[in-house]
Amino acid sequence: DKHSSFMTPEQYKEMQVESRGHFSGIGAALGTETKDGEAVKKDGKAVVIVIEVFEGSPAMKAGLMARDIVLKVRQENEKEGTPVRDPEDAKNKLRGKKGTKVFVTVERNGSVIELPAITRDDIKIRSVAKKVVDGICYIDLKGFIDETADDLEEALKSCQVLGPNPAVIISLRGNPGGNLWSALEILSYFSKNPNDVMLTIETKSKKDVHTVGNTTGAFADPATKQ
């Protein structure tokens, strides 16, 4: 099935963490491509780079910057850092118990830099970002996690400072997907018609087709979404 892929136990655990939107770490998104989809390579090989540093995070306070190439990670009980193999390996090395320290060596503009100690903290993944440009409210949906719908609702309400019917643009560029029910809850914000079809599920034989209608009112309890 081209729409399915195998996940190792480690990958499944990581997916659950990202879906919840909370973890203990330094507060940075890692990958092999920039936010614009540009692959970063060194000597013809893909490298692990910092895609984004979360506002106010331990990583930002330590001076980590977007586009830094992550070379090594050293734990506080280690004498030497170990090279990172891929983004998953880097995430595993950087996450850990709140209050513990980790040291990161990066390459920036051709120079190798060992950043000061970074103290891990509780990090919340922010899947919604908002800014106002020329009287237009731009909202960037970076993914669909458990709290995305609530965060989007808050962002939309804050746009009302521009007037009763503000101009709003919602961007999904670079959005990798995520929690289906979070996406359905968001769709319900933009429809008052209970007959609107929000989701269609077909089997391979296409003999069994299921539809999910407008979910307005289906998420009365924010904690359980039931």
Side-chain angles (χ1 to χ4, degrees):
D1 186 340
K2 65 180 181 180
H3 300 295
S4 302
S5 59
F6 174 78
M7 300 180 72
T8 65
E10 292 76 15
Q11 290 172 328
Y12 179 67
K13 182 178 179 181
E14 174 65 19
M15 183 193 71
Q16 289 181 310
V17 169
E18 294 183 352
S19 177
R20 288 194 298 268
H22 292 271
F23 63 91
S24 178
I26 68 170
L30 307 177
T32 57
E33 297 181 350
T34 67
K35 293 177 68 174
D36 298 323
E38 175 190 350
V40 178
K41 296 184 178 181
K42 182 180 180 181
D43 300 328
K45 296 182 179 180
V47 293
V48 178
I49 65 166
V50 178
I51 302 173
E52 180 182 7
V53 181
F54 302 159
E55 188 71 30
S57 67
M60 175 170 283
K61 294 174 183 177
L64 192 68
M65 299 176 64
R67 299 186 72 92
D68 280 351
I69 298 174
V70 182
L71 302 177
K72 295 181 180 181
V73 174
R74 177 169 67 89
Q75 309 300 329
E76 58 183 332
N77 60 347
E78 296 177 336
K79 293 183 178 180
E80 295 184 3
T82 55
V84 298
R85 300 187 302 271
D86 51 50
E88 293 303 316
D89 179 50
K91 289 178 184 178
N92 290 335
K93 287 181 167 68
L94 291 172
R95 290 182 183 173
K97 187 178 179 180
K98 177 181 177 180
T100 58
K101 291 180 172 57
V102 65
F103 298 83
V104 184
T105 301
V106 301
E107 181 179 320
R108 183 185 301 162
N109 299 323
S111 299
V112 176
I113 305 169
E114 181 170 335
L115 298 173
I118 304 176
T119 302
R120 296 180 176 99
D121 201 352
D122 291 331
I123 305 297
K124 177 185 177 182
I125 299 174
R126 298 194 177 276
S127 59
V128 178
K130 189 208 77 173
K131 63 181 178 180
V132 177
V133 180
D134 296 330
I136 299 175
C137 193
Y138 289 87
I139 298 177
D140 184 13
L141 283 186
K142 302 178 181 181
F144 297 102
I145 61 178
D146 290 355
E147 299 180 2
T148 301
D150 294 336
D151 290 343
L152 175 61
E153 183 178 19
E154 182 179 339
L156 290 170
K157 288 180 178 178
S158 69
C159 292
Q160 293 178 349
V161 298
L162 301 174
N165 294 296
V168 178
I169 294 177
I170 297 178
S171 172
L172 295 174
R173 288 178 296 180
N175 185 317
N179 189 320
L180 173 61
W181 298 105
S182 175
L184 290 176
E185 185 177 3
I186 288 171
L187 284 177
S188 73
Y189 292 167
F190 301 95
S191 171
K192 295 181 180 180
N193 186 351
N195 295 319
D196 283 349
V197 174
M198 299 296 186
L199 171 68
T200 301
I201 302 174
E202 294 183 0
T203 62
K204 287 185 178 181
S205 64
K206 294 187 178 180
K207 292 181 180 180
D208 192 10
V209 179
H210 301 278
T211 61
V212 176
N214 191 340
T215 56
T216 300
F219 298 96
D221 185 343
T224 62
K225 306 298 188 205
Q226 295 180 352

